[in-house]
Amino acid sequence: MRELTYVDALSEGLVQAMEADDGIFVTGIAVDYPSGIFGSTVEAARRFGPSRVFDAPAMENALTGIAIGAAAMGKRPVVVHPRNDFMFLAFDQMINLAAKWKYMYGSHAGSVPIVVRGVIGRGWGQGATHSQSLQSVLAHFPGLQVVMPALPQDAKGLTIAALTGDAPTVILEHRSLYPIAGPVDQAFAPTPIGKAAVVRDGTDVSVVASSYMVVEAMRAAESLEQDGVSVEVVDLRSIRPLDEETILASVRKTGCLIVADTSWVLYGVASEVAALVAEKAFHSLKAPVYRIGLADSPAPVSQPLEDAFYPKASTIAKAALTLLGRTHSHLGDIDLADEFKGPY
């Protein structure tokens, strides 16, 4: 395998899918700009031109409705949002039409294989409306698939899976992942949707994580290994459908569970995973489940407050030590500074 960055892996998956299916087109704000959604749509725009990769005005609800109509007529639209917060304006189309299509019309109206990409991540001073992470909201509704690739290989593989399947699918991409490099298969091969991955084996604590929290969990695990703590990291990859089997198998092995998500703790993915384990693996637990996510407030604009707002590798490491009844006074500085400056 070659090493590719996350953003180049996204781009390669999109381009290969467009080569294989001339019904795929890409639209959204700035998809054909030189910056091309952090570079992820630049090659597709260069390769396929404005007939298949074209900019759209800020008309999220109408654009999504048009894309759903195109999907019903046999096309495969990809609608891209530079920030997933803009997706709120399209929720009526996504939730009341795309998600319910097969339930309302059965086999009489085909399928609507629309793919919606949204960038999530920290706000770097933009505050409450450009920093949200909408996976739990979207995954609440039957009919929508929601995936959150954390590794470059899955950024490509889940893009291919979304663009070759029949279900409406949302791909949420954390902007802090774009520059991260990793091995990526050159082949046109999907990552199965609904299947989590054990990305690090361990025996003492399970960390079930989503998106960028997988990277933070891996950094925490490396630090804890020096102190004799063995952490197993499970990358959810798919929020809906959820891979219950892999989560439960890990908890039954370690007996301790931390769930780390990029969104709020209350009513979120972490709560869903905790409830699953309470229902189906309660007697395997040696300690209460520990949930890690955002505090119960919107993201602050103040940089010092924002630095404190987002959980980090040290948050996970301290939680693991707490579950095991150990002190964390020996932990060094394992957190990376966020140097992202925008524009989105």
Side-chain angles (χ1 to χ4, degrees):
M1 285 190 184
R2 312 128 318 141
E3 289 268 326
L4 288 183
T5 61
Y6 185 95
V7 71
D8 286 340
L10 276 172
S11 174
E12 185 169 273
L14 176 62
V15 167
Q16 288 185 353
M18 294 179 75
E19 287 173 338
D21 185 347
D22 60 13
I24 296 174
F25 66 89
V26 183
T27 187
I29 296 172
V31 296
D32 62 351
Y33 284 17
S35 55
I37 313 295
F38 299 94
S40 64
T41 58
V42 170
E43 181 61 17
R46 187 192 68 78
R47 186 83 66 93
F48 302 104
S51 65
R52 295 181 66 187
V53 181
F54 48 90
D55 186 33
M59 43 176 271
E60 288 83 358
N61 194 38
L63 180 65
T64 306
I66 293 168
I68 291 170
M73 297 303 293
K75 296 292 186 179
R76 285 187 176 273
V78 181
V79 179
V80 187
H81 298 279
R83 299 296 289 181
N84 83 151
D85 311 78
F86 307 156
M87 209 184 295
F88 279 124
L89 296 165
F91 267 27
D92 179 44
Q93 299 291 348
M94 293 172 63
I95 291 167
N96 276 329
L97 198 56
K100 297 179 173 67
W101 191 273
K102 70 176 181 180
Y103 299 102
M104 292 195 298
Y105 303 124
S107 60
H108 302 295
S111 58
V112 286
I114 180 176
V115 173
V116 181
R117 290 176 48 194
V119 179
I120 64 172
R122 301 178 181 183
W124 79 100
Q126 287 203 330
T129 60
H130 289 72
S131 56
Q132 297 160 108
S133 193
L134 304 181
Q135 59 270 28
S136 63
V137 181
L138 293 160
H140 185 66
F141 294 93
L144 280 182
Q145 294 186 148
V146 181
V147 299
M148 301 182 78
L151 305 178
Q153 175 65 48
D154 295 328
K156 176 180 177 178
L158 288 171
T159 296
I160 292 171
L163 286 170
T164 53
D166 288 331
T169 303
V170 178
I171 304 174
L172 296 178
E173 306 152 14
H174 198 292
R175 65 167 173 75
S176 296
L177 291 169
Y178 286 150
I180 292 177
V184 178
D185 194 336
Q186 199 157 12
F188 182 66
T191 296
I193 292 177
K195 183 64 179 172
V198 177
V199 293
R200 182 186 176 98
D201 287 319
T203 55
D204 294 330
V205 183
S206 299
V207 179
V208 175
S210 63
S211 188
Y212 188 64
M213 294 311 293
V214 174
V215 176
E216 300 285 29
M218 293 292 283
R219 190 176 299 118
E222 290 169 8
S223 176
L224 290 169
E225 184 178 29
Q226 300 172 24
D227 295 313
V229 178
S230 175
V231 178
E232 179 151 296
V233 180
V234 176
D235 176 2
L236 281 178
R237 302 199 293 196
S238 171
I239 305 303
R240 187 184 185 106
L242 187 66
D243 182 358
E244 295 186 5
E245 182 180 346
T246 299
I247 296 169
L248 294 172
S250 181
V251 173
R252 287 172 178 142
K253 180 168 73 169
T254 66
C256 292
L257 172 63
I258 296 168
V259 193
D261 185 39
T262 59
S263 191
W264 290 288
V265 168
L266 293 181
Y267 314 107
V269 171
S271 299
E272 182 64 29
V273 173
L276 166 72
V277 172
E279 288 178 349
K280 299 186 177 179
F282 179 78
H283 296 292
S284 297
L285 289 171
K286 302 172 185 173
V289 175
Y290 201 112
R291 294 179 294 164
I292 291 175
L294 304 183
D296 190 21
S297 75
V301 173
S302 158
Q303 190 68 56
L305 288 177
E306 191 174 22
D307 288 343
F309 182 67
Y310 292 106
K312 307 169 184 66
S314 60
T315 315
I316 297 171
K318 291 172 183 174
L321 292 169
T322 299
L323 282 182
L324 296 173
R326 295 175 56 167
T327 177
H328 55 261
S329 60
H330 57 287
L331 274 179
D333 184 8
I334 61 174
D335 296 326
L336 295 179
D338 184 4
E339 299 177 348
F340 187 80
K341 302 299 181 188
Y344 294 109

